[in-house]
Amino acid sequence: MGSGVFLGMDDLDPIAICSLFEEWDPQTERCQDDPPVYRPAGEPATAAMASEDIAKLAETLAKTQVAGGQLSFKGKGLKLNTAEDAKDVIKEIEEFDGLEALRLEGNTVGVEAARVIAKALEKKSELKRCHWSDMFTGRLRSEIPPALISLGEGLITAGAQLVELDLSDNAFGPDGVRGFEALLKSPACFTLQELKLNNCGMGIGGGKILAAALTECHRKSSAQGKPLALKVFVAGRNRLENDGATALAEAFGIIGTLEEVHMPQNGINHPGVTALAQAFAINPLLRVINLNDNTFTEKGGVAMAETLKTLRQVEVINFGDCLVRSKGAVAIADAVRGGLPKLKELNLSFCEIKRDAALVVAEAVADKAELEKLDLNGNALGEEGCEQLQEVMDSFNMAKVLASLSDDEGEDEDEEEEGEEDDEEEEDEEDEEDDDEEEEEQEEEEEPPQRGSGEEPATPSRKILDPNSGEPAPVLSSPTPTDLSTFLSFPSPEKLLRLGPKVSVLIVQQTDTSDPEKVVSAFLKVASVFRDDASVKTAVLDAIDALMKKAFSCSSFNSNTFLTRLLIHMGLLKSEDKIKAIPSLHGPLMVLNHVVRQDYFPKALAPLLLAFVTKPNGALETCSFARHNLLQTLYNI
């Protein structure tokens, strides 16, 4: 039994438990205070223990300070609003000598309660581990930063030297990062080894604040001769996107001691992946890299492969659902073949990899003696390709290592090339944003070219007056054509913004608002590009307002059918139709949070929506920040 850990019912072992209290009698194979227990010959002592005895021991453990200095309130469902609510917690903290770990998961702590708990922590200089995930359930977003600030100040005043800080599953958003920013920069975190911020809704802004705080922590700790040596970083499901990931990559490159990085489901594309790859190359001790469910494409796959060639300690690579495609997979296979001697797990599932590339990956792991799992499920191998892959692995005596191929998408020769072209188009649009701005500035400064008789100018840039400002506006020679159908076919924030103010009119004109299914389709495509960026957010909400106001005001529009179909497409309601749920609920949830507050929204629909958003659902759990905001709004309607 590990020191400093309270055991759950599944962990209970009579020998370990009784030895903890020095009560185990090896002669009778039972605790000294237990009455004799009948058990058939040969039956182990663990099986003979009555359930009530186990429950009794569990209760005793819950009241006992286990070696290692851990005090746990985990999962008690405590609602700590006031100082009075928190008095029992404070009493136990104050009376606990040598407190090294405090577990507050699964409770809800308000501002006042956090303040008095922090006061109790001011005398706990030996505290090293703060397990504070999921401790703000039902709290207003505005309550979380001051609560975190108080707790952080308590730790700083105590002179604690933290080893682990876990604030996962707290939907505090970017503002919440400000709540523990000072703590991260303080001497209390100079010794930090594990930082866990999974599923916190930090966003790009929070990612940048976090990166700056870690960099400052490293600078200050280095000045004292003991640089920050962070080993484990967890920040999955945070909507960091490229900018947030790039900022953190810069911090990782400075720190250089990482052993595990977990950043799944963050909307990171190849620029962010490339930045992370470059940072990983400066962290030679990396053992676990988990970037599941981001979007590498070939560019990101190749960049990451180059880094993998330089690392020697990597044991786990999880690039599942990262769209590395065949070229990226071949590049990664090349890196695996030439190194990674300690590799235990390679996950390239659901990456649109074709048969030949998958076989190259299989051949690359032939000499990996420690490999425990190769996951290539959900790719495009086809039935014959799956058989060939299994044969190859069997020829290496590694058949048991290969994960199930039950979700293989089947072989499709054309699908990948088309998909790659689409991705490259999307990526090029991002790269062209700055170029477009530079071109416009240059054209404003240029003189109109001279025209010869009967000739059209090669690149007309004659100036015309902007009707609003009266200032000269350039006429571009080849504007990128964007219409509503282009946006709806491949939605992106850039395309939406290029439609300009007319998008609201276009969405209403070109959507049959009497048909709930068509309204749902348009709603989800517009909502899918929702971002925190002010211009994108405004464009999305304006378009949605125009669409839904028109739909709900249409006498032939069935509001109940609309909501039902919307829930089905979001994966929150089962249907006999084979409808694939949308990949991310963040945008739709954020947009719904706006819609339900508008006058045009039928308030009679709120209870039904509330019921389905409240139900446990894996897709909703990945968007806890957006879900939390919507639930708060629905409760107040």
Side-chain angles (χ1 to χ4, degrees):
M1 181 180 69
S3 64
V5 178
F6 276 105
L7 299 178
M9 292 296 292
D10 293 336
D11 301 312
L12 294 174
D13 176 83
I15 299 177
I17 293 170
C18 294
S19 63
L20 184 67
F21 304 108
E22 299 181 352
E23 294 176 346
W24 180 255
D25 186 343
Q27 300 295 326
T28 61
E29 293 190 325
R30 61 185 177 88
C31 292
Q32 293 174 4
D33 294 336
D34 282 352
V37 178
Y38 168 78
R39 59 184 173 93
E43 181 180 343
T46 54
M49 294 189 69
S51 59
E52 56 265 30
D53 294 330
I54 296 177
K56 180 180 178 181
L57 286 170
E59 183 180 354
T60 303
L61 276 174
K63 298 177 181 178
T64 304
Q65 297 177 7
V66 180
Q70 176 171 269
L71 177 61
S72 177
F73 300 95
K74 180 178 179 180
K76 292 184 177 292
L78 302 175
K79 295 182 180 179
L80 309 178
N81 298 315
T82 65
E84 179 67 19
D85 296 335
K87 65 179 183 180
D88 291 338
V89 172
I90 294 169
K91 183 174 184 294
E92 291 198 49
I93 291 174
E94 291 175 340
E95 294 178 353
F96 199 116
D97 294 330
L99 180 63
E100 294 183 10
L102 178 62
R103 308 196 76 107
L104 293 174
E105 311 103 306
N107 300 289
T108 178
V109 181
V111 176
E112 184 181 339
R115 190 178 299 119
V116 293
I117 291 173
K119 194 69 178 176
L121 292 177
E122 289 181 358
K123 298 179 182 179
K124 301 300 176 180
S125 61
E126 297 178 4
L127 187 61
K128 293 179 174 63
R129 299 183 183 275
C130 297
H131 301 280
W132 294 350
S133 63
D134 189 23
M135 57 179 257
F136 295 112
T137 303
R139 296 289 167 188
L140 293 173
R141 183 173 167 181
S142 59
E143 292 182 84
I144 301 177
L148 288 173
I149 289 172
S150 294
L151 292 169
E153 289 174 347
L155 296 173
I156 295 171
T157 301
Q161 293 185 318
L162 296 184
V163 172
E164 179 179 0
L165 176 61
D166 186 355
L167 292 171
S168 297
D169 300 317
N170 290 309
F172 47 58
D175 294 340
V177 184
R178 293 287 189 195
F180 59 94
E181 180 184 15
L183 173 63
L184 281 181
K185 294 178 179 179
S186 75
C189 284
F190 288 179
T191 51
L192 194 64
Q193 295 180 14
E194 301 181 27
L195 179 59
K196 300 175 181 178
L197 300 167
N198 200 55
N199 197 27
C200 291
M202 290 189 291
I204 295 172
K208 290 181 176 180
I209 297 169
L210 176 61
L214 289 173
T215 302
E216 181 69 2
C217 180
H218 186 272
R219 185 189 68 79
K220 289 182 176 179
S221 57
S222 296
Q224 294 190 6
K226 293 183 179 180
L228 172 68
L230 190 66
K231 295 181 180 180
V232 177
F233 179 82
V234 181
R237 301 175 180 176
N238 270 292
R239 300 179 291 111
L240 295 171
E241 301 184 14
N242 289 333
D243 290 347
T246 300
L248 285 167
E250 293 176 4
F252 295 164
I254 293 170
I255 295 170
T257 56
L258 288 168
E259 296 180 12
E260 295 186 26
V261 175
H262 302 264
M263 297 174 65
Q265 296 183 6
N266 269 298
I268 306 171
N269 298 325
H270 78 84
V273 172
T274 300
L276 288 171
Q278 293 169 348
F280 293 165
I282 315 173
N283 286 264
L285 301 179
L286 266 175
R287 295 183 297 103
V288 179
I289 304 175
N290 177 7
L291 294 177
N292 186 283
D293 200 6
N294 289 292
T295 307
F296 281 40
T297 66
E298 178 188 345
K299 293 181 181 179
V302 170
M304 194 61 70
E306 289 301 309
T307 286
L308 292 175
K309 291 178 180 178
T310 69
L311 301 175
R312 304 292 295 174
Q313 305 300 320
V314 174
E315 297 176 5
V316 177
I317 298 172
N318 186 346
F319 297 158
D321 205 11
C322 282
L323 213 65
V324 300
R325 291 207 171 96
S326 293
K327 292 182 180 179
V330 169
I332 292 170
D334 185 48
V336 171
R337 183 184 298 104
L340 305 181
K342 299 182 179 181
L343 188 63
K344 294 181 179 179
E345 180 177 337
L346 175 60
N347 185 347
L348 294 175
S349 61
F350 299 93
C351 281
E352 294 192 5
I353 300 170
K354 288 189 176 183
R355 176 182 59 184
D356 291 346
L359 294 175
V360 171
V361 173
E363 292 168 355
V365 302
D367 64 342
K368 305 306 170 191
E370 297 186 31
L371 190 69
E372 298 172 359
K373 184 177 182 181
L374 172 62
D375 194 345
L376 290 167
N377 194 23
N379 286 299
L381 280 61
E383 184 176 349
E384 183 179 346
C386 290
E387 293 176 357
Q388 290 178 336
L389 181 61
Q390 290 166 336
E391 289 172 1
V392 169
M393 295 300 292
D394 190 45
S395 69
F396 302 146
N397 293 320
M398 300 174 75
K400 293 182 179 179
V401 168
L402 183 64
S404 168
L405 299 172
S406 59
D407 293 320
D408 186 74
E409 296 289 338
E411 199 165 10
D412 190 334
E413 295 297 329
D414 300 324
E415 183 176 347
E416 180 175 327
E417 293 180 4
E418 293 175 358
E420 285 179 350
E421 290 174 1
D422 292 337
D423 280 344
E424 288 171 4
E425 180 182 328
E426 295 292 333
E427 293 161 6
D428 289 341
E429 285 174 1
E430 295 176 7
D431 297 336
E432 287 169 4
E433 290 298 310
D434 293 336
D435 295 340
D436 289 344
E437 293 176 6
E438 292 176 5
E439 289 173 8
E440 289 177 8
E441 292 173 0
Q442 290 172 358
E443 288 182 326
E444 287 179 359
E445 297 173 357
E446 291 176 356
E447 291 294 327
Q450 298 297 320
R451 293 180 58 184
S453 176
E455 292 181 345
E456 291 293 333
T459 55
S461 60
R462 56 189 175 82
K463 296 179 181 179
I464 60 174
L465 294 180
D466 186 299
N468 296 319
S469 65
E471 296 293 326
V475 178
L476 300 180
S477 58
S478 301
T480 304
T482 300
D483 55 24
L484 186 63
S485 61
T486 302
F487 166 76
L488 293 176
S489 297
F490 298 100
S492 73
E494 295 78 16
K495 289 178 183 175
L496 183 68
L497 292 177
R498 287 176 185 172
L499 287 169
K502 63 182 179 180
V503 64
S504 298
V505 176
L506 291 174
I507 197 78
V508 171
Q509 288 179 344
Q510 299 186 33
T511 303
D512 182 359
T513 51
S514 66
D515 186 337
E517 186 67 28
K518 291 180 179 177
V519 174
V520 166
S521 177
F523 177 95
L524 291 175
K525 288 179 178 179
V526 175
S528 70
V529 303
F530 181 91
R531 299 290 187 275
D532 290 330
D533 177 80
S535 58
V536 176
K537 181 178 180 180
T538 300
V540 168
L541 296 182
D542 285 350
I544 290 293
D545 281 340
L547 173 67
M548 299 315 303
K549 187 175 183 179
K550 177 69 180 298
F552 286 130
S553 64
C554 180
S555 59
S556 59
F557 183 73
N558 190 319
S559 300
N560 289 321
T561 301
F562 163 76
L563 184 55
T564 299
R565 300 304 295 175
L566 180 64
L567 292 170
I568 289 172
H569 282 276
M570 291 174 67
L572 305 182
L573 179 62
K574 292 183 179 180
S575 169
E576 294 181 358
D577 303 334
K578 292 184 178 179
I579 294 176
K580 185 176 181 180
I582 58 176
S584 173
L585 296 184
H586 174 73
L589 290 174
M590 295 295 285
V591 170
L592 279 171
N593 187 45
H594 167 82
V595 168
V596 298
R597 288 179 285 152
Q598 307 310 308
D599 291 338
Y600 61 71
F601 180 76
K603 298 303 184 279
L605 297 180
L608 179 61
L609 182 58
L610 176 63
F612 281 94
V613 177
T614 305
K615 289 174 61 178
N617 185 286
L620 287 172
E621 290 171 4
T622 66
C623 306
S624 61
F625 173 73
R627 179 192 196 183
H628 174 76
N629 286 347
L630 178 56
L631 284 175
Q632 280 191 322
T633 302
L634 289 171
Y635 278 125
N636 292 327
I637 291 179

